[in-house]
Coordinates of all heavy atoms in Angstrom, one line a residue:
L8 N 8.8 -60.8 -20.0 CA 9.5 -61.2 -18.8 C 10.8 -61.9 -19.0 O 11.8 -61.6 -18.4 CB 8.6 -62.0 -17.9 CG 9.0 -62.4 -16.5 CD1 9.3 -61.1 -15.7 CD2 8.0 -63.3 -15.8
Q9 N 10.8 -62.8 -20.0 CA 12.0 -63.5 -20.3 C 13.1 -62.5 -20.8 O 14.3 -62.6 -20.5 CB 11.8 -64.6 -21.3 CG 11.0 -65.8 -20.8 CD 10.6 -66.8 -21.8 OE1 10.4 -66.4 -23.0 NE2 10.6 -68.0 -21.5
R10 N 12.7 -61.6 -21.7 CA 13.6 -60.6 -22.3 C 14.1 -59.7 -21.2 O 15.3 -59.4 -21.1 CB 12.9 -59.8 -23.3 CG 13.8 -58.8 -24.1 CD 13.1 -58.2 -25.3 NE 11.8 -57.6 -25.0 CZ 10.6 -58.0 -25.5 NH1 10.6 -59.0 -26.3 NH2 9.5 -57.4 -25.1
A11 N 13.3 -59.3 -20.2 CA 13.8 -58.5 -19.1 C 14.7 -59.2 -18.2 O 15.7 -58.7 -17.7 CB 12.6 -58.0 -18.3
F12 N 14.5 -60.5 -18.0 CA 15.5 -61.3 -17.2 C 16.8 -61.4 -17.9 O 17.9 -61.3 -17.2 CB 14.9 -62.7 -17.0 CG 14.2 -62.8 -15.7 CD1 13.1 -62.1 -15.4 CD2 14.7 -63.7 -14.7 CE1 12.4 -62.2 -14.2 CE2 14.1 -63.7 -13.4 CZ 13.0 -63.0 -13.2
R13 N 16.8 -61.5 -19.2 CA 18.1 -61.5 -19.9 C 18.8 -60.1 -19.8 O 20.0 -60.0 -19.5 CB 17.9 -61.8 -21.4 CG 17.8 -63.2 -21.7 CD 18.0 -63.5 -23.2 NE 17.0 -62.8 -24.1 CZ 15.8 -63.2 -24.4 NH1 15.4 -64.4 -24.0 NH2 15.0 -62.5 -25.1
T14 N 18.0 -59.0 -20.0 CA 18.6 -57.7 -19.9 C 19.2 -57.4 -18.5 O 20.2 -56.8 -18.4 CB 17.5 -56.6 -20.2 OG1 17.0 -56.9 -21.6 CG2 18.0 -55.2 -20.1
H15 N 18.5 -57.8 -17.5 CA 18.9 -57.5 -16.1 C 19.7 -58.6 -15.4 O 19.8 -58.5 -14.2 CB 17.6 -57.1 -15.3 CG 17.0 -55.8 -15.8 ND1 17.4 -54.6 -15.4 CD2 16.0 -55.6 -16.6 CE1 16.7 -53.7 -16.0 NE2 15.8 -54.3 -16.7
H16 N 20.1 -59.6 -16.1 CA 20.9 -60.7 -15.6 C 20.2 -61.4 -14.4 O 20.8 -61.6 -13.4 CB 22.3 -60.1 -15.1 CG 23.0 -59.4 -16.2 ND1 23.6 -60.0 -17.3 CD2 23.2 -58.0 -16.3 CE1 24.1 -59.1 -18.1 NE2 23.9 -57.9 -17.5
G17 N 18.9 -61.6 -14.6 CA 18.1 -62.3 -13.6 C 18.1 -63.8 -13.8 O 17.5 -64.5 -13.0
L18 N 18.7 -64.3 -14.9 CA 18.6 -65.7 -15.2 C 19.5 -66.5 -14.2 O 20.6 -66.1 -13.9 CB 19.0 -66.0 -16.6 CG 18.1 -65.4 -17.6 CD1 18.7 -65.4 -19.0 CD2 16.7 -66.0 -17.6
Q19 N 19.0 -67.6 -13.7 CA 19.7 -68.5 -12.8 C 19.8 -69.8 -13.4 O 19.8 -70.0 -14.6 CB 18.9 -68.5 -11.5 CG 18.8 -67.2 -10.8 CD 20.2 -66.6 -10.5 OE1 21.0 -67.2 -9.9 NE2 20.4 -65.3 -10.9
C20 N 19.9 -70.9 -12.6 CA 20.1 -72.2 -13.2 C 18.8 -72.8 -13.8 O 17.8 -72.1 -13.8 CB 20.6 -73.2 -12.1 SG 19.3 -73.7 -10.9
G21 N 18.9 -74.0 -14.4 CA 17.8 -74.6 -15.0 C 16.7 -75.0 -14.1 O 15.6 -75.4 -14.6
Y22 N 16.9 -75.0 -12.8 CA 15.9 -75.3 -11.8 C 15.2 -74.0 -11.4 O 14.0 -73.9 -11.4 CB 16.4 -76.0 -10.6 CG 17.0 -77.4 -10.9 CD1 18.4 -77.5 -11.0 CD2 16.1 -78.5 -11.1 CE1 18.9 -78.8 -11.3 CE2 16.7 -79.7 -11.4 CZ 18.0 -79.9 -11.5 OH 18.5 -81.1 -11.8
C23 N 16.0 -73.0 -11.1 CA 15.4 -71.8 -10.5 C 14.7 -71.0 -11.6 O 13.6 -70.5 -11.4 CB 16.6 -70.9 -10.0 SG 17.3 -71.6 -8.5
T24 N 15.3 -70.8 -12.8 CA 14.7 -69.9 -13.8 C 13.3 -70.3 -14.2 O 12.4 -69.4 -14.2 CB 15.7 -69.8 -15.0 OG1 16.9 -69.4 -14.6 CG2 15.1 -68.9 -16.1
P25 N 13.0 -71.5 -14.5 CA 11.6 -71.8 -14.9 C 10.7 -71.6 -13.8 O 9.6 -71.1 -14.0 CB 11.7 -73.3 -15.3 CG 13.1 -73.6 -15.6 CD 13.9 -72.7 -14.7
G26 N 11.0 -72.0 -12.5 CA 10.1 -71.8 -11.4 C 9.9 -70.3 -11.2 O 8.7 -69.9 -10.9
V27 N 10.9 -69.5 -11.2 CA 10.8 -68.0 -11.0 C 9.9 -67.4 -12.1 O 9.0 -66.6 -11.8 CB 12.2 -67.4 -10.9 CG1 12.1 -65.9 -11.1 CG2 12.9 -67.8 -9.7
L28 N 10.2 -67.8 -13.4 CA 9.4 -67.2 -14.5 C 7.9 -67.6 -14.4 O 7.0 -66.7 -14.6 CB 10.0 -67.6 -15.8 CG 11.3 -67.0 -16.1 CD1 11.9 -67.6 -17.4 CD2 11.2 -65.5 -16.3
V29 N 7.6 -68.8 -14.0 CA 6.2 -69.2 -13.9 C 5.6 -68.5 -12.7 O 4.5 -68.0 -12.8 CB 6.1 -70.8 -13.7 CG1 4.7 -71.2 -13.2 CG2 6.5 -71.5 -15.0
T30 N 6.3 -68.4 -11.6 CA 5.8 -67.7 -10.4 C 5.5 -66.2 -10.8 O 4.4 -65.7 -10.5 CB 6.8 -67.7 -9.3 OG1 6.9 -69.1 -8.9 CG2 6.4 -66.9 -8.1
L31 N 6.4 -65.6 -11.5 CA 6.3 -64.1 -11.7 C 5.3 -63.9 -12.8 O 4.6 -62.8 -12.9 CB 7.6 -63.5 -12.0 CG 8.6 -63.5 -10.8 CD1 10.0 -63.0 -11.3 CD2 8.0 -62.6 -9.7
T32 N 5.1 -64.8 -13.8 CA 4.1 -64.6 -14.8 C 2.7 -64.6 -14.2 O 1.9 -63.7 -14.5 CB 4.2 -65.7 -15.9 OG1 5.5 -65.6 -16.5 CG2 3.1 -65.6 -16.9
D33 N 2.5 -65.5 -13.3 CA 1.2 -65.5 -12.6 C 1.1 -64.3 -11.7 O 0.0 -63.6 -11.7 CB 1.1 -66.8 -11.7 CG -0.1 -66.8 -10.9 OD1 -1.2 -66.9 -11.5 OD2 0.0 -66.7 -9.6
F34 N 2.1 -63.9 -11.0 CA 2.1 -62.8 -10.1 C 1.8 -61.5 -10.9 O 0.9 -60.7 -10.5 CB 3.5 -62.6 -9.4 CG 3.6 -61.3 -8.7 CD1 3.0 -61.1 -7.5 CD2 4.5 -60.4 -9.1 CE1 3.1 -59.9 -6.8 CE2 4.7 -59.2 -8.5 CZ 4.0 -59.0 -7.3
L35 N 2.4 -61.3 -12.0 CA 2.2 -60.1 -12.8 C 0.8 -60.0 -13.4 O 0.2 -59.0 -13.6 CB 3.2 -59.9 -13.9 CG 4.6 -59.5 -13.4 CD1 5.6 -59.5 -14.6 CD2 4.6 -58.2 -12.6
A36 N 0.2 -61.2 -13.7 CA -1.2 -61.3 -14.2 C -2.1 -60.8 -13.1 O -3.2 -60.2 -13.4 CB -1.5 -62.7 -14.6
R37 N -1.8 -61.1 -11.8 CA -2.7 -60.7 -10.7 C -2.3 -59.3 -10.2 O -3.2 -58.6 -9.5 CB -2.6 -61.7 -9.6 CG -3.2 -63.0 -10.0 CD -3.1 -64.1 -8.9 NE -1.8 -64.6 -8.7 CZ -1.0 -64.2 -7.6 NH1 -1.5 -63.5 -6.7 NH2 0.2 -64.7 -7.5
N38 N -1.1 -58.9 -10.3 CA -0.6 -57.6 -9.8 C 0.3 -56.9 -10.9 O 1.5 -57.0 -10.8 CB 0.2 -57.8 -8.5 CG 0.5 -56.5 -7.8 OD1 0.3 -55.4 -8.4 ND2 1.1 -56.6 -6.6
P39 N -0.3 -56.2 -11.8 CA 0.4 -55.6 -12.9 C 1.3 -54.4 -12.5 O 2.1 -53.9 -13.3 CB -0.7 -55.2 -13.9 CG -1.9 -55.1 -13.1 CD -1.8 -56.0 -12.0
D40 N 1.1 -53.8 -11.3 CA 1.8 -52.6 -10.9 C 2.4 -52.9 -9.5 O 2.0 -52.2 -8.6 CB 0.9 -51.4 -10.9 CG 1.7 -50.1 -10.8 OD1 2.9 -50.1 -10.9 OD2 1.0 -49.1 -10.6
P41 N 3.3 -53.8 -9.4 CA 3.8 -54.2 -8.0 C 4.9 -53.3 -7.5 O 5.6 -52.6 -8.3 CB 4.4 -55.6 -8.3 CG 4.9 -55.5 -9.7 CD 3.9 -54.7 -10.4
S42 N 5.1 -53.3 -6.2 CA 6.2 -52.6 -5.6 C 7.4 -53.6 -5.6 O 7.2 -54.9 -5.8 CB 5.9 -52.2 -4.2 OG 5.8 -53.3 -3.4
R43 N 8.6 -53.1 -5.4 CA 9.7 -54.1 -5.3 C 9.5 -55.0 -4.1 O 9.9 -56.2 -4.2 CB 11.0 -53.3 -5.1 CG 11.4 -52.4 -6.3 CD 12.7 -51.7 -6.1 NE 13.8 -52.6 -6.1 CZ 14.4 -53.1 -7.2 NH1 14.1 -52.6 -8.4 NH2 15.5 -53.9 -7.2
D44 N 9.0 -54.6 -3.0 CA 8.7 -55.5 -1.9 C 7.7 -56.6 -2.2 O 7.9 -57.7 -1.8 CB 8.3 -54.7 -0.7 CG 9.4 -53.9 0.0 OD1 10.6 -54.2 -0.3 OD2 9.1 -53.0 0.8
E45 N 6.7 -56.2 -3.0 CA 5.7 -57.2 -3.4 C 6.4 -58.3 -4.3 O 6.0 -59.4 -4.2 CB 4.5 -56.5 -4.1 CG 3.7 -55.8 -3.2 CD 2.6 -54.9 -3.9 OE1 2.8 -54.5 -5.0 OE2 1.5 -54.7 -3.2
V46 N 7.3 -57.8 -5.2 CA 8.0 -58.8 -6.0 C 8.8 -59.7 -5.2 O 8.8 -60.9 -5.4 CB 8.9 -58.1 -7.1 CG1 9.7 -59.1 -7.9 CG2 8.0 -57.2 -8.0
R47 N 9.5 -59.2 -4.2 CA 10.4 -60.0 -3.3 C 9.5 -61.0 -2.6 O 9.8 -62.1 -2.4 CB 11.1 -59.1 -2.4 CG 12.3 -58.4 -3.0 CD 13.2 -57.7 -2.0 NE 14.4 -57.1 -2.6 CZ 15.5 -57.8 -3.0 NH1 15.5 -59.1 -2.7 NH2 16.5 -57.3 -3.6
E48 N 8.3 -60.5 -2.1 CA 7.4 -61.4 -1.4 C 6.9 -62.5 -2.3 O 6.8 -63.7 -1.9 CB 6.2 -60.6 -0.9 CG 5.1 -61.4 -0.2 CD 5.5 -62.0 1.1 OE1 6.4 -61.5 1.8 OE2 4.9 -63.0 1.5
A49 N 6.6 -62.2 -3.6 CA 6.2 -63.2 -4.5 C 7.2 -64.3 -4.8 O 6.9 -65.4 -5.1 CB 5.8 -62.5 -5.9
L50 N 8.5 -63.9 -4.6 CA 9.6 -64.9 -4.8 C 10.0 -65.7 -3.6 O 10.9 -66.5 -3.7 CB 10.8 -64.1 -5.3 CG 10.7 -63.6 -6.8 CD1 11.9 -62.7 -7.1 CD2 10.7 -64.7 -7.7
T51 N 9.3 -65.5 -2.5 CA 9.7 -66.2 -1.3 C 9.6 -67.7 -1.4 O 10.2 -68.5 -0.7 CB 8.9 -65.7 -0.1 OG1 7.5 -65.9 -0.3 CG2 9.3 -64.3 0.3
G52 N 8.8 -68.2 -2.3 CA 8.6 -69.7 -2.5 C 9.7 -70.3 -3.4 O 9.8 -71.5 -3.6
N53 N 10.5 -69.4 -4.0 CA 11.6 -69.9 -4.9 C 12.9 -69.6 -4.3 O 13.5 -68.5 -4.3 CB 11.5 -69.1 -6.3 CG 10.2 -69.4 -7.0 OD1 9.2 -68.7 -6.7 ND2 10.2 -70.3 -7.9
L54 N 13.5 -70.7 -3.7 CA 14.7 -70.5 -2.9 C 15.9 -70.8 -3.8 O 16.0 -71.8 -4.4 CB 14.7 -71.5 -1.7 CG 13.6 -71.2 -0.7 CD1 13.8 -72.3 0.4 CD2 13.7 -69.8 -0.1
C55 N 16.8 -69.8 -3.9 CA 18.1 -69.9 -4.6 C 19.1 -69.4 -3.7 O 19.0 -68.2 -3.3 CB 18.1 -69.2 -5.9 SG 19.7 -69.1 -6.7
R56 N 20.1 -70.2 -3.4 CA 21.2 -69.7 -2.5 C 22.4 -69.2 -3.3 O 23.4 -68.9 -2.8 CB 21.6 -70.8 -1.6 CG 20.5 -71.3 -0.7 CD 21.0 -72.3 0.3 NE 19.9 -73.0 1.0 CZ 19.2 -72.4 2.0 NH1 19.6 -71.2 2.4 NH2 18.2 -73.1 2.5
C57 N 22.2 -69.2 -4.7 CA 23.4 -68.8 -5.5 C 23.5 -67.3 -5.7 O 24.6 -66.9 -6.2 CB 23.2 -69.5 -6.9 SG 23.0 -71.3 -6.7
T58 N 22.5 -66.5 -5.4 CA 22.6 -65.1 -5.8 C 21.7 -64.3 -4.9 O 20.9 -64.8 -4.2 CB 22.2 -64.9 -7.3 OG1 22.4 -63.6 -7.6 CG2 20.7 -65.3 -7.5
G59 N 21.8 -63.0 -5.1 CA 20.8 -62.2 -4.5 C 19.6 -62.1 -5.5 O 19.7 -62.7 -6.6
Y60 N 18.6 -61.5 -5.2 CA 17.4 -61.4 -6.0 C 17.3 -60.1 -6.8 O 16.3 -59.9 -7.4 CB 16.2 -61.7 -5.2 CG 16.0 -63.1 -4.8 CD1 16.8 -63.7 -3.8 CD2 15.1 -64.0 -5.4 CE1 16.7 -65.0 -3.4 CE2 15.0 -65.3 -5.0 CZ 15.8 -65.8 -4.0 OH 15.7 -67.1 -3.7
K61 N 18.3 -59.3 -6.7 CA 18.2 -57.9 -7.3 C 17.9 -57.9 -8.8 O 17.0 -57.2 -9.2 CB 19.5 -57.1 -7.0 CG 19.4 -55.7 -7.5 CD 20.7 -54.9 -7.3 CE 20.6 -53.5 -7.8 NZ 20.2 -53.4 -9.2
G62 N 18.7 -58.8 -9.5 CA 18.4 -58.8 -10.9 C 17.0 -59.3 -11.3 O 16.4 -58.8 -12.2
M63 N 16.5 -60.2 -10.5 CA 15.2 -60.7 -10.8 C 14.1 -59.7 -10.5 O 13.2 -59.5 -11.2 CB 14.9 -62.0 -9.9 CG 15.7 -63.1 -10.1 SD 15.2 -64.5 -9.1 CE 16.8 -65.3 -8.7
V64 N 14.3 -58.9 -9.4 CA 13.4 -57.8 -9.0 C 13.5 -56.7 -10.1 O 12.4 -56.2 -10.5 CB 13.7 -57.3 -7.6 CG1 12.8 -56.1 -7.3 CG2 13.5 -58.4 -6.6
D65 N 14.7 -56.3 -10.5 CA 14.8 -55.3 -11.5 C 14.1 -55.8 -12.8 O 13.4 -55.0 -13.4 CB 16.3 -55.1 -11.8 CG 17.1 -54.4 -10.7 OD1 16.4 -53.9 -9.8 OD2 18.3 -54.4 -10.8
A66 N 14.3 -57.0 -13.2 CA 13.7 -57.5 -14.4 C 12.2 -57.5 -14.3 O 11.5 -57.2 -15.3 CB 14.2 -58.9 -14.7
T67 N 11.7 -57.9 -13.2 CA 10.2 -57.9 -13.0 C 9.6 -56.5 -13.0 O 8.6 -56.3 -13.7 CB 9.9 -58.6 -11.6 OG1 10.5 -59.9 -11.6 CG2 8.4 -58.8 -11.5
M68 N 10.3 -55.6 -12.4 CA 9.8 -54.2 -12.5 C 9.8 -53.7 -13.9 O 8.8 -53.0 -14.4 CB 10.6 -53.3 -11.6 CG 10.6 -53.7 -10.1 SD 8.9 -53.7 -9.4 CE 8.5 -52.0 -9.3
H69 N 10.9 -54.0 -14.6 CA 11.0 -53.6 -16.0 C 9.9 -54.3 -16.9 O 9.2 -53.6 -17.6 CB 12.3 -54.0 -16.6 CG 12.6 -53.6 -18.0 ND1 13.9 -53.4 -18.4 CD2 11.8 -53.5 -19.0 CE1 13.9 -53.1 -19.7 NE2 12.6 -53.1 -20.1
A70 N 9.7 -55.6 -16.7 CA 8.6 -56.3 -17.4 C 7.3 -55.8 -17.1 O 6.4 -55.6 -18.0 CB 8.7 -57.8 -17.1
A71 N 7.0 -55.5 -15.8 CA 5.7 -55.0 -15.4 C 5.4 -53.6 -16.1 O 4.3 -53.4 -16.6 CB 5.7 -54.8 -13.9
A72 N 6.4 -52.7 -16.2 CA 6.2 -51.5 -16.8 C 6.0 -51.6 -18.3 O 5.1 -51.0 -18.9 CB 7.5 -50.6 -16.6
E73 N 6.7 -52.6 -19.0 CA 6.5 -52.8 -20.4 C 5.1 -53.4 -20.6 O 4.4 -53.0 -21.6 CB 7.6 -53.7 -20.9 CG 8.9 -53.0 -21.2 CD 9.7 -53.8 -22.2 OE1 9.3 -54.8 -22.8 OE2 10.9 -53.4 -22.3
L74 N 4.7 -54.3 -19.8 CA 3.4 -54.9 -20.0 C 2.2 -53.9 -19.8 O 1.3 -53.9 -20.5 CB 3.2 -56.1 -19.0 CG 4.1 -57.3 -19.3 CD1 4.1 -58.3 -18.2 CD2 3.6 -58.0 -20.6
R75 N 2.4 -53.0 -18.8 CA 1.4 -52.0 -18.6 C 1.3 -51.1 -19.8 O 0.3 -50.7 -20.3 CB 1.7 -51.2 -17.4 CG 1.4 -51.9 -16.1 CD 1.4 -51.0 -14.9 NE 2.6 -50.1 -14.8 CZ 3.7 -50.5 -14.1 NH1 3.8 -51.7 -13.6 NH2 4.7 -49.7 -14.1
A76 N 2.5 -50.7 -20.4 CA 2.6 -49.8 -21.6 C 1.9 -50.5 -22.8 O 1.2 -49.8 -23.5 CB 4.0 -49.5 -21.9
Q77 N 2.1 -51.8 -22.9 CA 1.5 -52.5 -24.0 C 0.0 -52.5 -23.9 O -0.7 -52.5 -24.9 CB 2.0 -54.0 -24.1 CG 3.4 -54.1 -24.6 CD 3.9 -55.6 -24.5 OE1 3.1 -56.5 -24.2 NE2 5.2 -55.8 -24.7
K78 N -0.5 -52.6 -22.7 CA -1.9 -52.6 -22.4 C -2.5 -51.2 -22.4 O -3.7 -51.1 -22.2 CB -2.2 -53.4 -21.2 CG -1.9 -54.9 -21.3 CD -2.2 -55.6 -20.0 CE -1.8 -57.1 -20.2 NZ -1.8 -57.8 -18.9
G79 N -1.7 -50.2 -22.5 CA -2.1 -48.8 -22.4 C -2.6 -48.4 -21.1 O -3.3 -47.4 -20.9
A80 N -2.1 -49.0 -20.0 CA -2.4 -48.7 -18.7 C -1.6 -47.5 -18.2 O -0.5 -47.2 -18.6 CB -2.3 -49.9 -17.7
Ligands
LIG24 S1 20.6 -70.7 -9.5 FE1 19.4 -72.5 -9.2 S2 19.8 -73.0 -7.2 FE2 20.7 -71.1 -7.4

């Protein structure tokens, strides 16, 4: 997930990034094949007014696909 955030420019400030990564790590453990809307819903508790969430959603979808591939799903 961290690698995907770097690749897709999803990294934000030192407050937002840790909270988003912790939120999404838990989210992907519970939902390994999410839709983009589900990712956006998962991020509703992490408010950042500095950017859109596109990079974060792109990164999460990428990470989810890689994690599924690693698990052979
Ligand atoms: S990047 Fe942290 S408040 Fe926007």
Side-chain angles (χ1 to χ4, degrees):
L8 185 59
Q9 290 174 325
R10 187 172 50 246
F12 264 64
R13 281 195 301 272
T14 300
H15 293 277
H16 308 289
L18 296 168
Q19 299 299 310
C20 77
Y22 295 101
C23 293
T24 301
V27 166
L28 289 173
V29 168
T30 295
L31 292 173
T32 297
D33 175 67
F34 170 72
L35 289 177
R37 291 181 289 108
N38 186 353
D40 192 10
S42 68
R43 294 183 69 86
D44 284 345
E45 288 172 331
V46 174
R47 288 189 173 279
E48 175 70 24
L50 287 171
T51 56
N53 297 82
L54 299 179
C55 169
R56 299 185 190 283
C57 304
T58 185
Y60 286 73
K61 182 182 182 305
M63 297 184 215
V64 174
D65 290 346
T67 305
M68 298 304 287
H69 182 151
E73 281 200 10
L74 289 168
R75 287 193 307 275
Q77 287 176 6
K78 292 178 181 172

